[in-house]
Amino acid sequence: MKNPGQFTLKLVMLLLISGILASCVPQDNLKYVQNKTSSEIKESYEHLRPIKKIRPFDNLYINVLSLDEQTARIFSNQNSSITGGLSIDLLSYTVSERGTIDFPFIGEIYLSNLTLIEAKAKVEAELSQYLSNTAITMKFVNSNITVLGEVRNQGEFPFFKEQINIFQALGYAGGVTDYGDKSKVTLIREYDNLIRFHSLNLTDKKIVENELYYLQPGDVLIVEPIKTKFRSLRTFTYATFLATTTTLITVLYFFR
């Protein structure tokens, strides 16, 4: 019969090697935009950037410009006496659930589903009835996206560009952690009171051709953890396993 101590030692070493291999991180899930995830490798990818249209609950900054400054100030949310440190909420118009804004002296103007250029022209046309030689500037403000899961800084992040893509959003959150699975990212988006969940694979270069590549205000991104994290969170951790194994080997050598 073989030496029981040697058999136990080999068994323990086998378990140790198995634990190390099991804890290895799958690198394919940790890299962005890889070639091998796409069926066709290309040097460039075409993507037509969608034009953002005004939706209910969007916030619009509107500033009226006119040769008659005193009259123009009546129609503008911004003037020199109130701008210092004032919240952007008080300097913008919120689009109602019906798709309208309530403009001073004019009343409700329907802007839903219009681009900024179209909305700007419509508001200028309404203003021309009261002011001559007027122009306006209009921008989206108070746009927010939320990033959760395996990122370094979870939370809700404002952006002031008309559009941002999914990688820029992750940049706001400090990037994906070492335990983040870039092949399993969930995008939650609302479509006219309907919530949809979309699965995205950021390890595939073709993600830039996806219609969901550019985000919309209110979108929520969730980065799923890789399986290795669940292994590391078990009560019997790898560190404990290694310490116990080392102690057992020492005892076996001492009493053999």
Side-chain angles (χ1 to χ4, degrees):
M1 183 177 179
K2 295 182 178 180
N3 188 333
Q6 292 181 350
F7 175 77
T8 303
L9 178 60
K10 291 180 180 180
L11 179 60
V12 170
M13 293 301 295
L14 179 61
L15 291 174
L16 177 60
I17 294 173
S18 299
I20 294 174
L21 292 176
S23 64
C24 292
V25 177
Q27 293 186 3
D28 289 346
N29 295 346
L30 301 180
K31 298 178 181 178
Y32 288 115
V33 291
Q34 303 172 55
N35 279 325
K36 63 181 181 179
T37 57
S38 301
S39 57
E40 180 184 358
I41 299 175
K42 298 188 294 185
E43 292 298 326
S44 60
Y45 294 80
E46 182 179 0
H47 183 93
L48 298 177
R49 180 179 295 203
I51 299 176
K52 177 172 170 48
K53 295 187 177 182
I54 296 171
R55 302 185 305 167
F57 309 113
D58 279 342
N59 289 283
L60 301 173
Y61 169 79
I62 301 176
N63 187 36
V64 178
L65 304 173
S66 174
L67 297 177
D68 184 352
E69 294 184 7
Q70 184 175 0
T71 306
R73 191 176 295 121
I74 298 175
F75 294 91
S76 180
N77 253 1
Q78 180 182 13
N79 64 57
S80 58
S81 65
I82 64 172
T83 53
L86 195 61
S87 169
I88 195 67
D89 291 325
L90 301 180
L91 297 176
S92 63
Y93 296 88
T94 300
V95 181
S96 71
E97 189 173 4
R98 300 186 306 276
T100 62
I101 61 170
D102 188 9
F103 210 72
F105 297 98
I106 296 178
E108 291 192 340
I109 305 176
Y110 186 80
L111 300 180
S112 185
N113 209 36
L114 298 181
T115 65
L116 279 183
I117 294 176
E118 294 169 339
K120 178 175 176 290
K122 188 169 185 178
V123 174
E124 285 179 343
E126 295 284 350
L127 276 174
S128 65
Q129 302 178 40
Y130 300 87
L131 293 172
S132 59
N133 300 318
T134 59
I136 69 168
T137 56
M138 181 183 296
K139 297 179 181 179
F140 288 105
V141 294
N142 258 19
S143 298
N144 294 279
I145 47 93
T146 302
V147 186
L148 303 172
E150 288 299 323
V151 291
R152 290 181 171 82
N153 185 22
Q154 299 185 83
E156 185 178 47
F157 302 94
F159 64 94
F160 302 97
K161 301 178 181 178
E162 187 171 336
Q163 291 177 326
I164 62 169
N165 62 50
I166 191 170
F167 294 114
Q168 291 172 317
L170 290 173
Y172 290 157
V176 178
T177 68
D178 294 339
Y179 286 113
D181 190 341
K182 296 181 177 68
S183 68
K184 294 182 180 179
V185 177
T186 300
L187 170 63
I188 305 175
R189 177 172 291 178
E190 182 175 351
Y191 301 85
D192 296 327
N193 299 322
L194 180 66
I195 306 296
R196 291 184 181 176
F197 292 76
H198 302 277
S199 297
L200 301 174
N201 180 3
L202 303 188
T203 68
D204 191 341
K205 279 188 174 181
K206 292 183 69 175
I207 184 65
V208 298
E209 295 181 325
N210 194 307
E211 62 180 3
L212 301 172
Y213 179 64
Y214 285 97
L215 301 181
Q216 296 181 3
D219 281 353
V220 178
L221 283 178
I222 302 176
V223 181
E224 301 294 333
I226 55 178
K227 293 181 179 179
T228 301
K229 180 168 185 178
F230 293 109
R231 297 192 188 102
S232 67
L233 293 176
R234 292 174 181 172
T235 304
F236 194 68
T237 62
Y238 170 68
T240 304
F241 176 79
L242 180 60
T244 304
T245 302
T246 304
T247 302
L248 181 58
I249 294 174
T250 303
V251 172
L252 290 175
Y253 269 109
F254 184 78
F255 289 104
R256 66 177 181 174

